[in-house]
Amino acid sequence: MKRRAVTVVLVLSAALLGTCFQVPNAEDDAALLKQAQMLFSPLPKALGPEAPVPSAQEALGKMLFFDPRWTVEGNVSCATCHQPALYGTDGLSKSIGVLHRRHRRNAPTVLNAGLNFIQHWSGDRNNLEDQVDQALVGAISSGHPDRAAALARIEAVEGYASLFRQAFPDATTPLTSANVANAIAAYERTLLTPAPFDSYLRGDAQAISPIARNGLRHFISRGCASCHHGSGVGGQIFQKFGVREEYWNATGSSEVDKGHFEVTKDPTDLYVFKVPSLRNVEMTPPYFHDGSVPTLAGAVKVMGRVQLGVALPDAEITEIIEFLRTLTGPLPANFATAPALPASSKRDP
Amino acid sequence: MKRRAVTVVLVLSAALLGTCFQVPNAEDDAALLKQAQMLFSPLPKALGPEAPVPSAQEALGKMLFFDPRWTVEGNVSCATCHQPALYGTDGLSKSIGVLHRRHRRNAPTVLNAGLNFIQHWSGDRNNLEDQVDQALVGAISSGHPDRAAALARIEAVEGYASLFRQAFPDATTPLTSANVANAIAAYERTLLTPAPFDSYLRGDAQAISPIARNGLRHFISRGCASCHHGSGVGGQIFQKFGVREEYWNATGSSEVDKGHFEVTKDPTDLYVFKVPSLRNVEMTPPYFHDGSVPTLAGAVKVMGRVQLGVALPDAEITEIIEFLRTLTGPLPANFATAPALPASSKRDP
């Protein structure tokens, strides 16, 4: 498991940087910036395959993302659980999908999801395309028995056929489940949220406040950055939730979720989850895979306890939160602004 | 019933204009424009009370409109049934609300709803404020047993308290159900969609195509405008659905809806509904109070049959639809663009 090896190196380097170098005060801002630049990287301008994706594909993907008509009762879209107004989440502990079915886990934000090395809390989706493709037949996301049923709904909306032809001009059959996945994934990769921390990482040491910089110091020296690193400030590795004690004792979770173990059946993957990106974390409560912790302060406290084995002082938590707030960017216009969908000419089921 | 008296006058004047004056061809464009200007009026620049509404109130109303957290399970907002991407509807025959409850009627668009003389298909809501106020305790829209439960949810979101204070600076208790209604209604009144037909009514006879002008001629001469008139091209009066024959025979409706009779218990109100505005009608299928007719052509045909007692020729229907398309305006930016909601600090129920 390569990603684990990386973790170890990063834990060590974070420990070295944080503990050995001890950068406790404001005059060492330049050193802090250097540390941060080693651990994190600013958001790229764009994500995606080497060849540029046609904008018609992104535009189509956006429509499909916002269109509820292709799910089984026509009332749930991707945007139901990934709402713009709630920063790409639904604000619930556990989502409610088609047919009023409750999801087992908390809906992760779709913002910056293209940065994740794998998708979903348990890592059971390889990438965005895989996520969409499986969502087409998901019991909670779609409710259809097969992909053909979902595609038939899309085909039933006059107007989509030509949009697929424009988006996939070289395809003999443009409207396929693979292309639904390609289009939605292409759209989702555009949903990046540059934040003050990116300006900081690019060298503007004053782009975040002195308190936020203190929070960043704690974040590094305590070891948070050993998992939450990279351009997503997370989303790069798997990690066991509950390194120092069982997580459910700290979160009050109502059930024990075995995480990545469900995918691999490997005992070393028990309670292992994808480390979530912390971008916009301030805007996406409640927290953790089961939404069991409602506040950010509570979440930071739990992390200190179960991952690091420390009771973080309140003052430190406050400063860490101030740092986490620098990861909030404005809602991308391409997400906040709904597309006008082609009107349906068929009736709903 | 004053609105009925108005109807009669309008039916007569439409008959006079349409039938007696007979304006059959393109050289009479100026006469057509004059007729149209007598029957319709362009959208006002703004709607609302004489005193201007503070923009903080509209902004707050927009947040509450898009916020699902105040309904019983936290998963349904006003925007669930009135989605921007579907022109303020949900595209369903009958909406699905909280707790997966199915509404009896089709969700009317919220766009231009401020133009309606009364709200809802059956006219059981006096105005937008009344609509919102009752939605706070609606079995399908909210699921809460009382207004206090809905308000408690809004209060639980840190950030709303100060937004209410800003929106209602003179109120001793700003966060009340009345002010939720005031704010959302103020927001909804901003949702106007100027369209090519407005330019036409303002005197630009070429703002709509010759085919659309033919459609407008049919629309007037057949008598459609006797009910669908004014700035909303509808929304101004009640009318019996099924003047010439029982509507359900033409629509294939699965149940008989008694309409305004349910409100008044007056037998003359049997099968009486608010005449809907036809603005953006092209974008808001399926049609009628029960969404029983999926296509616009089908809806026009039904109207000819049950309201006018005529089988409209297909060519005429095509031209009428071309006219109806001139009632489509772009999605208002204030609707298409989701607000960033204050993050919740409390957990969902």
Side-chain angles (χ1 to χ4, degrees), chain B residues 305-348:
Chain B
R305 176 173 157 187
V306 307
Q307 300 301 93
L308 307 170
V310 297
L312 293 172
D314 284 349
E316 206 170 303
I317 291 175
T318 301
E319 293 185 330
I320 288 173
I321 288 175
E322 200 63 23
F323 160 62
L324 293 175
R325 288 201 173 113
T326 73
L327 302 175
T328 301
L331 276 181
N334 198 26
F335 189 47
T337 310
L341 299 178
S344 179
S345 59
K346 305 288 164 61
R347 80 182 66 196
D348 57 286

Side-chain angles (χ1 to χ4, degrees), chain A residues 56 211 293 320:
Chain A
I211 297 171
V293 175
I320 289 174

Side-chain angles (χ1 to χ4, degrees), chain B residues 93-277:
Chain B
S93 293
K94 296 174 183 180
S95 300
I96 299 173
V98 299
L99 299 164
H100 203 240
R101 290 174 179 159
R102 184 75 75 159
H103 203 285
R104 290 173 56 207
R105 300 196 178 104
N106 177 263
T109 180
V110 75
L111 294 173
N112 308 297
L115 297 171
N116 294 335
F117 82 108
I118 207 160
Q119 299 298 330
H120 278 197
W121 284 102
S122 69
D124 61 352
R125 300 293 187 269
N126 293 326
N127 51 38
L128 292 174
E129 282 80 358
D130 184 32
Q131 193 281 322
V132 176
D133 180 59
Q134 296 200 46
L136 283 172
V137 288
I140 295 164
S141 52
S142 147
H144 286 300
D146 51 41
R147 286 168 181 78
L151 291 182
R153 287 294 189 76
I154 296 171
E155 277 168 353
V157 177
E158 221 178 331
Y160 270 129
S162 70
L163 292 168
F164 271 87
R165 280 196 301 275
Q166 287 162 39
F168 301 97
D170 302 330
T172 45
T173 310
L175 208 170
T176 61
S177 58
N179 282 344
V180 170
N182 288 330
I184 295 182
Y187 166 59
E188 290 178 331
R189 285 202 181 85
T190 69
L191 304 180
L192 301 177
T193 62
F197 189 53
D198 295 294
S199 307
Y200 176 81
L201 290 176
R202 289 206 169 84
D204 176 4
Q206 310 305 312
I208 67 176
S209 74
I211 297 171
R213 295 201 295 273
N214 278 347
L216 172 58
R217 276 191 189 93
H218 304 313
F219 192 83
I220 294 172
S221 67
R222 289 293 192 180
C224 311
S226 63
C227 291
H228 293 282
H229 54 256
S231 61
V233 192
Q236 304 305 304
I237 55 169
F238 284 117
Q239 180 56 277
K240 185 179 175 185
F241 185 23
V243 171
R244 305 297 292 265
E245 67 170 300
E246 282 156 344
Y247 74 79
W248 50 90
N249 291 330
T251 58
S253 296
S254 56
E255 54 185 319
V256 172
D257 186 329
K258 294 181 180 171
H260 194 49
F261 172 83
E262 291 183 0
V263 183
T264 64
K265 307 297 176 195
D266 178 344
T268 65
D269 287 328
L270 260 175
Y271 320 127
V272 163
F273 294 88
K274 179 192 70 184
V275 173
S277 165

Side-chain angles (χ1 to χ4, degrees), chain A residues 73 85 93 100 285 336 338-339 341 344 348, chain B residues 73 85 93 100 285 336 338-339 341 344 348:
Chain A
E73 292 190 302
S93 293
H100 202 240
L341 298 177
S344 178
D348 57 284
Chain B
E73 291 189 303
S93 293
H100 203 240
L341 299 178
S344 179
D348 57 286

Side-chain angles (χ1 to χ4, degrees), chain A residues 4-23 31 34-40 217 219-230 237:
Chain A
R4 287 290 178 77
V6 175
T7 319
V8 174
V9 172
L10 277 156
V11 171
L12 287 175
S13 59
L16 279 170
L17 286 165
T19 312
C20 306
F21 291 10
Q22 289 289 358
V23 189
K34 270 193 187 167
Q35 273 187 292
Q37 287 168 330
M38 289 180 66
L39 287 164
F40 310 103
R217 276 191 190 93
F219 192 84
I220 295 171
S221 66
R222 288 294 191 178
C224 311
S226 62
C227 291
H228 294 282
H229 54 256
I237 54 168

Side-chain angles (χ1 to χ4, degrees), chain A:
Chain A
M1 187 153 284
K2 271 184 190 171
R3 290 282 177 172
R4 287 290 178 77
V6 175
T7 319
V8 174
V9 172
L10 277 156
V11 171
L12 287 175
S13 59
L16 279 170
L17 286 165
T19 312
C20 306
F21 291 10
Q22 289 289 358
V23 189
N25 58 45
E27 59 197 19
D28 293 298
D29 274 347
L32 180 68
L33 178 56
K34 270 193 187 167
Q35 273 187 292
Q37 287 168 330
M38 289 180 66
L39 287 164
F40 310 103
S41 50
L43 276 182
K45 289 218 167 149
L47 280 179
E50 319 243 315
V53 173
S55 61
Q57 207 175 114
E58 291 171 2
L60 170 61
K62 179 173 176 175
M63 288 186 181
L64 295 167
F65 184 93
F66 280 91
D67 200 331
R69 292 170 297 181
W70 63 260
T71 60
V72 69
E73 292 190 302
N75 67 325
V76 167
S77 69
C78 308
T80 299
C81 298
H82 304 288
Q83 296 180 34
L86 292 166
Y87 262 75
T89 73
D90 55 15
L92 296 172
S93 293
K94 297 175 181 179
S95 299
I96 299 174
V98 299
L99 299 164
H100 202 240
R101 289 175 180 160
R102 184 74 75 158
H103 204 286
R104 289 173 56 207
R105 299 198 178 104
N106 178 263
T109 181
V110 76
L111 294 172
N112 309 296
L115 297 172
N116 294 336
F117 82 108
I118 207 161
Q119 299 297 329
H120 278 197
W121 285 102
S122 70
D124 61 352
R125 300 293 186 267
N126 294 326
N127 51 36
L128 292 174
E129 282 81 358
D130 184 33
Q131 192 281 322
V132 175
D133 180 58
Q134 296 200 48
L136 284 171
V137 288
I140 294 164
S141 52
S142 148
H144 287 301
D146 51 40
R147 286 167 180 78
L151 291 182
R153 288 294 189 75
I154 296 171
E155 277 167 354
V157 176
E158 222 178 331
Y160 269 128
S162 69
L163 292 167
F164 272 86
R165 281 196 300 275
Q166 288 163 39
F168 301 97
D170 302 328
T172 45
T173 310
L175 208 170
T176 62
S177 58
N179 283 343
V180 170
N182 288 330
I184 295 181
Y187 166 59
E188 290 177 332
R189 285 203 181 84
T190 70
L191 304 181
L192 301 177
T193 61
F197 188 54
D198 295 294
S199 307
Y200 177 81
L201 290 176
R202 290 207 169 82
D204 176 3
Q206 309 306 310
I208 66 175
S209 74
I211 297 171
R213 295 200 295 273
N214 278 347
L216 172 60
R217 276 191 190 93
H218 305 312
F219 192 84
I220 295 171
S221 66
R222 288 294 191 178
C224 311
S226 62
C227 291
H228 294 282
H229 54 256
S231 61
V233 193
Q236 303 306 304
I237 54 168
F238 284 116
Q239 180 57 276
K240 184 177 177 188
F241 185 22
V243 172
R244 305 297 291 263
E245 67 171 299
E246 284 157 342
Y247 73 80
W248 50 88
N249 291 332
T251 58
S253 296
S254 55
E255 54 185 320
V256 173
D257 185 329
K258 294 179 180 171
H260 193 50
F261 173 83
E262 292 183 359
V263 183
T264 63
K265 308 295 176 197
D266 177 345
T268 65
D269 288 327
L270 261 176
Y271 321 126
V272 164
F273 294 88
K274 181 192 70 186
V275 173
S277 165
L278 295 182
R279 288 190 176 270
N280 305 300
V281 69
E282 156 196 21
M283 304 304 288
T284 61
Y287 299 104
F288 301 126
H289 65 275
D290 56 3
S292 52
V293 175
T295 68
L296 189 50
V300 173
K301 200 168 180 173
V302 165
M303 289 311 276
R305 176 173 157 187
V306 307
Q307 300 301 92
L308 308 170
V310 296
L312 294 171
D314 285 348
E316 207 169 304
I317 292 175
T318 301
E319 293 183 330
I320 289 174
I321 288 176
E322 200 63 23
F323 159 63
L324 294 175
R325 289 202 173 113
T326 72
L327 302 175
T328 302
L331 276 181
N334 199 26
F335 188 48
T337 309
L341 298 177
S344 178
S345 59
K346 305 288 164 57
R347 79 182 66 196
D348 57 284

